[in-house]
Amino acid sequence: MEKLQSLRGMVDLLPAHTSLWQRVEATARDHFRRAGVQEIRTPLLEVTELFARGIGEATDVVGKEMYTFVDRGDRSCTLRPEGTASVVRAVIQHGLLSQGSQRLWYGGPMFRYERPQAGRQRQFHQIGLEFLGFADARSDVEAISIAWDLLADLGVQGLALELNTLGSTDDRARYREQLVAYLQRHKDQLDPDSQDRLERNPLRILDSKNPDTQALLADAPTLAEALAPESRDRFEQVKAGLTALDIPFTLNPRLVRGLDYYSHTAFEITSTQLGAQATVCGGGRYDGLVEQLGGASTPAIGWALGMERLVLLLEQVAGEAAVGPAPDVYLVNRGEAAEPAALTLARNLRRAGLSVELDSSGAAFGKQFKRADRSGAAWAAVLGDGEVEQGVVRLKPLRGNGEEQELPLADVDAQKACLVAIAF
RNA sequence: GCGGGCGUCGCCACGUGGUUAAGGCAGCGGCUUGUGGCGCCGCCAUUCGGGGGUUCGAGUCCCCUCGCUCGCCCCA
C-alpha cells in the first residue's frame, strides 16, 4: 500500500519544535501589545480577484505561485499567498478606518506554489504588522523599529536592515519610462529573464543577479535621481529617524521588492545564515493599495516576518534545544486501590499548578521508575496500595540528592511545598 | 518552471553485482512482579522510496517515477 504522507512543501511541526514557536509567538504578542497594535484574523481563503488586484497581475506570486481553485459555487478561490491584501480587504469591508487609523498585526499560514528549498515551503507562516492611515515618515520608522526590536529581543544575531525608497507612484512611473527607454537600447545585452521583465515588471530588473545585467545597469538612470524633492525629503526623514533610534541600516538601491503595491520606503531584514532565502522580514509603504481595493485613499505601511526562517536562525544561532519540556512530577502508581487514587492525586497536583505525568501502564514499579527517570521529571511521586492504606504518598527526588519524603495523601499544600522546595 | 546532489529500520549508518542486509541510538522484554539512572542478555528491515529493465544473480548497473535537498527563479 502506498504510504500516506504530507503534500510536497507542506511540513509538520513536531512536538520537539513547538515550544520554540510558542516562544516566538508569545514574544511577538508581547511586543505588539506594548506597541498598541491589535490582532486581526482573516480567512485563509479569499476570492482570487483580491490578490490579482492587490498584489498585481504581473508579479510572480500572482502569475504562477497561487493555490487557486473553483469552488462548488463556481467562484474562483485562492489560498492567501500573503497577508496584506486580506487585512486591507477586511478593514475596508468593515469600515474600520471610519473609526480612525488602524494599528494591526496578524499571523498564520500562507501558501505559495513554489519549489521547496531551504527556508522556503509551500505552506509557510508569517507574522505581519500593518499600520493603516499613517502617512508620516515616523510611522515608517516606528514600524521598522518594532520588527527590529522583536528580532533583537528573540536573540537573533547578525541581522542587516536594507533600505530603499521607491518614491511616489508618480516617481515610479516616471522612472519606469526612463529605465525602459535605456534598457530597450541595450536589450540584446540583457539576460532572458530580464528581457522578459522589460515589458511586465521592469523595475525588478534592478534586482537581477546576472552580472552582465548588473554591469549594464551601472550606467542606467537611477531611481534616486528620478525622485521628486518631496520623496527625497521623506526618505531623509526615515533615515534620520532610524539613526536616532540607533538602528543600523545599509542603503540598497537595488531593493525593489516583488509586490506591486509598494511605494516610498521599502526594506528587508536579512541574515547571511539562511542560504539563498536570506530575507527574514520584508515590508514597506503601500499608500495606493487601500484605494486600489476599493477603499478611500489611505496611506499605509507594513511588514511580514517569515516564521520558519526566524526559527531556523534561532535554532542554529542560539543553539536552541529542540526538546519538549519535562514534567515536574512523574506519578508512579500500581495496585487496585492506588490506580484510581493516582488519578485523583494527579488532578490535585495539576490544580495546584504543577505539571504531572501520570503512568497508566500498570507495569511493575521498576519499569515505571525507568520511565520516570527518562521523562526528565525532577520528582517521582509513588503511590501503591500500601501508601493508600496509610493515606500517604512518597515523594522521591530523581535529580541530585535528597531524601524520599512521605506526606499525607490529602494534604496537597504540603506536597506542593515539598516539591517546590528542593527541585525548582 | 529549470539545473545539481541524495533516497538502506523511528533516528544515525556500513554495504561499490553473489545473499544470512553490519553497527550505534531510541523502543520493547528479561536479569530485578515496590523504587530509576550503570551493566548484562534477548527482540526489533522476508527488505533497501515506488515501478520497470539488464543479469544465472541487484540495495549495489540502466530507465521511468515519487520524494528530500541545494541552487536558479521568486520571496517571508
Side-chain angles (χ1 to χ4, degrees):
Chain A
M1 186 163 56
E2 189 103 6
K3 280 182 221 159
L4 254 25
Q5 57 179 346
S6 61
L7 250 15
R8 174 157 221 208
M10 310 273 173
V11 311
D12 298 310
L13 184 58
L14 270 11
H17 296 278
T18 45
S19 63
L20 182 51
W21 276 65
Q22 286 168 1
R23 200 192 114 215
V24 171
E25 287 158 359
T27 305
R29 268 200 185 82
D30 189 49
H31 277 253
F32 290 135
R33 181 187 58 77
R34 284 183 278 148
V37 182
Q38 289 193 293
E39 184 179 8
I40 183 168
R41 302 191 189 190
T42 66
L44 270 51
L45 207 54
E46 298 273 2
V47 293
T48 303
E49 191 194 354
L50 171 62
F51 303 116
R53 265 212 279 159
I55 301 172
E57 299 274 9
T59 61
D60 281 25
V61 169
V62 172
K64 51 189 192 194
E65 295 174 3
M66 295 203 301
Y67 274 91
T68 297
F69 64 95
V70 176
D71 74 2
R72 290 166 189 268
D74 268 343
R75 286 169 287 254
S76 181
C77 305
T78 295
L79 246 18
R80 64 182 188 191
E82 57 103 47
T84 302
S86 303
V87 169
V88 170
R89 191 226 82 230
V91 163
I92 295 169
Q93 182 174 333
H94 301 284
L96 296 185
L97 285 165
S98 63
Q99 300 162 37
S101 305
Q102 297 290 313
R103 298 162 64 86
L104 304 171
W105 72 272
Y106 62 86
M110 307 293 165
F111 303 84
R112 257 120 97 159
Y113 195 92
E114 297 181 272
R115 190 81 173 264
Q117 193 180 320
R120 190 170 82 185
Q121 300 165 188
R122 289 182 172 181
Q123 176 177 336
F124 61 103
H125 300 261
Q126 291 186 333
I127 289 179
L129 170 121
E130 313 288 358
F131 284 172
L132 293 110
F134 295 86
D136 197 89
R138 277 173 300 176
S139 58
D140 301 33
V141 176
E142 188 189 2
I144 293 171
S145 75
I146 291 171
W148 188 259
D149 290 345
L150 168 59
L151 291 166
D153 195 18
L154 285 166
V156 190
Q157 306 286 315
L159 293 178
L161 170 62
E162 296 184 33
L163 196 66
N164 193 21
T165 180
L166 306 173
S168 66
T169 315
D170 285 350
D171 296 338
R172 248 177 115 167
R174 194 171 342 113
Y175 175 64
R176 184 184 154 124
E177 276 179 37
Q178 293 172 13
L179 182 67
V180 171
Y182 170 83
L183 291 176
Q184 282 292 1
R185 276 180 269 134
H186 307 276
K187 190 170 178 181
D188 50 320
Q189 296 169 52
L190 284 174
D191 60 276
D193 275 340
S194 294
Q195 287 189 12
D196 199 42
R197 281 192 220 127
L198 199 49
E199 304 283 316
R200 292 186 300 114
N201 207 346
L203 292 205
R204 288 220 47 81
I205 297 175
L206 297 178
D207 208 19
S208 171
K209 283 177 191 161
N210 184 291
D212 295 337
T213 299
Q214 279 306 323
L216 190 61
L217 286 167
D219 296 322
T222 66
L223 185 53
E225 292 160 0
L227 292 181
E230 311 84 71
S231 300
R232 203 166 304 186
D233 222 49
R234 191 178 190 292
F235 193 43
E236 290 306 318
Q237 289 174 42
V238 172
K239 290 192 282 186
L242 290 170
T243 302
L245 293 182
D246 280 325
I247 297 176
F249 58 87
T250 59
L251 295 178
N252 179 358
R254 298 183 301 114
L255 175 59
V256 176
R257 306 204 41 82
L259 280 30
D260 272 3
Y261 51 60
Y262 288 112
S263 57
H264 290 292
T265 306
F267 72 94
E268 286 184 4
I269 298 175
T270 60
S271 165
T272 51
Q273 321 238 13
L274 281 173
Q277 310 301 320
T279 305
V280 184
C281 178
R285 181 155 281 281
Y286 50 95
D287 290 345
L289 182 61
V290 178
E291 189 171 17
Q292 196 177 320
L293 290 178
S297 173
T298 306
I301 181 161
W303 49 254
L305 184 155
M307 279 291 283
E308 282 81 1
R309 292 181 189 177
L310 174 54
V311 167
L312 230 44
L313 288 175
L314 290 172
E315 279 173 346
Q316 62 183 215
V317 176
E320 297 267 353
V323 288
D328 298 326
V329 181
Y330 190 98
L331 210 173
V332 170
N333 65 101
R334 179 163 153 95
E336 215 172 303
E339 283 164 19
L343 216 42
T344 303
L345 176 60
R347 179 152 79 147
N348 289 340
L349 290 171
R350 286 169 183 161
R351 281 173 166 169
L354 296 160
S355 67
V356 181
E357 185 166 342
L358 175 65
D359 193 309
S360 56
S361 67
F365 280 91
K367 280 276 165 274
Q368 294 197 41
F369 272 99
K370 195 166 276 196
R371 281 195 279 265
D373 185 57
R374 273 193 293 244
S375 77
W379 291 86
V382 190
L383 206 57
D385 286 347
E387 283 79 10
V388 174
E389 202 171 312
Q390 296 167 52
V392 299
V393 56
R394 292 175 191 282
L395 298 175
K396 172 176 177 157
L398 295 173
R399 323 271 131 194
N401 36 25
E403 292 296 300
E404 186 168 311
Q405 315 256 344
E406 196 176 284
L407 290 168
L409 191 48
D411 193 346
V412 176
D413 289 341
Q415 290 159 21
K416 184 179 179 185
C418 172
L419 293 171
V420 170
I422 297 183
F424 306 111

